[in-house]
Amino acid sequence: MEQNKEAFVLLADVVNSRRISNRTAFDKKLQAAITEVGKTYQNAFVLPLQVWKGLDEVAAVLHSPTELYTVISVIQAAVVPEKFRFVLVKGEIDVVPQNKDVRSADGAAFHQAAEGMQTLKKEGLPFSCNTGSAMWDKAYSTQLNLLLLLKGAWTERQYSIYEAYKKSGRQEEVAAALQVTQQTVSKTLQAIKAAQVQKLEAALQSWTKESLNG
């Protein structure tokens, strides 16, 4: 086992998990999201995303927050209408298992993240971070929280239309894939201000990379 590595611990916890009506369906959606994240962003992780401690918690260790928002977006889009809250902490990882199982990892960063999760629950916000830079944390968490709160008000259909449109960029294809009319797609995208949200997401990603590499 590798020891004493500084990295970014990500913890995620389901909001009001006891209210989940169909546990089996939720678990399938979450596992699908974990698999997608693992394949698409495998280079972003020291230890890949995995269910952690309880069925309603997931954890991972990242090299950096560069792809954090896209990872969070995949998870959240997959489990709608349920929601996750997320905590990111930079710190020491005392134990990094060779089998890449985050459940066997340990270190101060995990304990700090767990404490941060308790604070986040009291605040009622979807995200917090502690990377050692108060200015960066404030700027990043403000941008990410605003986007998550905005998208958190969307319905499952609105989410599915938005995600499908981001991938194809063509309303006709989205309508055919989701078996709705193009008019429905167009009205939905306008209602959720999809174009503006996409610009804000792109700006966040650009700022994140520039701020971390600068």
Side-chain angles (χ1 to χ4, degrees):
M1 290 188 178
E2 186 180 347
Q3 296 182 341
N4 299 325
K5 181 180 181 66
E6 188 173 64
F8 295 82
V9 170
L10 174 66
L11 294 187
D13 180 47
V14 181
V15 178
N16 295 325
S17 60
R18 294 181 180 179
R19 298 182 184 179
I20 297 175
S21 57
N22 190 330
R23 185 82 233 186
T24 300
F26 172 80
D27 290 343
K28 287 182 178 180
K29 290 192 292 186
L30 178 57
Q31 286 299 330
I34 290 174
T35 299
E36 181 180 350
V37 165
K39 290 180 179 179
T40 307
Y41 304 104
Q42 58 180 326
N43 293 331
F45 294 100
V46 177
L47 300 175
L49 194 69
Q50 192 172 354
V51 174
W52 188 72
K53 289 193 174 182
L55 294 174
D56 305 320
E57 299 173 297
V58 295
V61 178
L62 298 119
H63 293 289
S64 85
T66 304
E67 299 295 343
L68 178 60
Y69 180 72
T70 51
V71 168
I72 286 176
S73 295
V74 170
I75 298 169
Q76 191 56 68
V79 300
V80 174
E82 310 305 334
K83 298 180 179 67
F84 271 94
R85 56 174 72 89
F86 303 88
V87 172
L88 181 75
V89 170
K90 182 182 181 181
E92 288 291 326
I93 313 297
D94 297 332
V95 178
V96 181
Q98 292 181 350
N99 65 0
K100 302 296 182 180
D101 189 336
V102 71
R103 294 170 297 184
S104 299
D106 196 12
F110 283 95
H111 304 295
Q112 293 170 14
E115 292 174 1
M117 184 64 75
Q118 295 304 314
T119 301
L120 192 61
K121 290 179 181 179
K122 296 176 183 178
E123 294 176 344
L125 291 171
F127 178 78
S128 71
C129 61
N130 182 356
T131 67
S133 172
M135 185 175 294
W136 191 92
D137 291 344
K138 185 176 182 179
Y140 186 74
S141 62
T142 297
Q143 295 176 83
L144 203 149
N145 270 314
L146 288 172
L147 276 167
L148 291 179
L149 288 170
L150 173 62
K151 295 171 71 176
W154 293 356
T155 65
E156 191 167 359
R157 169 175 278 191
Q158 288 173 332
Y159 242 114
S160 62
I161 289 176
Y162 179 73
E163 291 298 320
Y165 184 70
K166 275 205 308 184
K167 292 178 181 178
S168 74
R170 295 180 59 85
Q171 294 185 16
E172 300 90 342
E173 292 183 12
V174 174
L178 299 180
Q179 297 184 331
V180 296
T181 65
Q182 184 180 345
Q183 185 179 27
T184 296
V185 173
S186 178
K187 286 185 176 180
T188 299
L189 294 174
Q190 291 178 28
I192 64 176
K193 299 188 183 301
Q196 291 84 354
V197 172
Q198 280 188 288
K199 287 183 180 179
L200 291 173
E201 290 182 322
L204 174 59
Q205 285 297 93
S206 177
W207 177 86
T208 303
K209 293 177 181 179
E210 289 174 1
S211 63
L212 292 172
N213 296 328

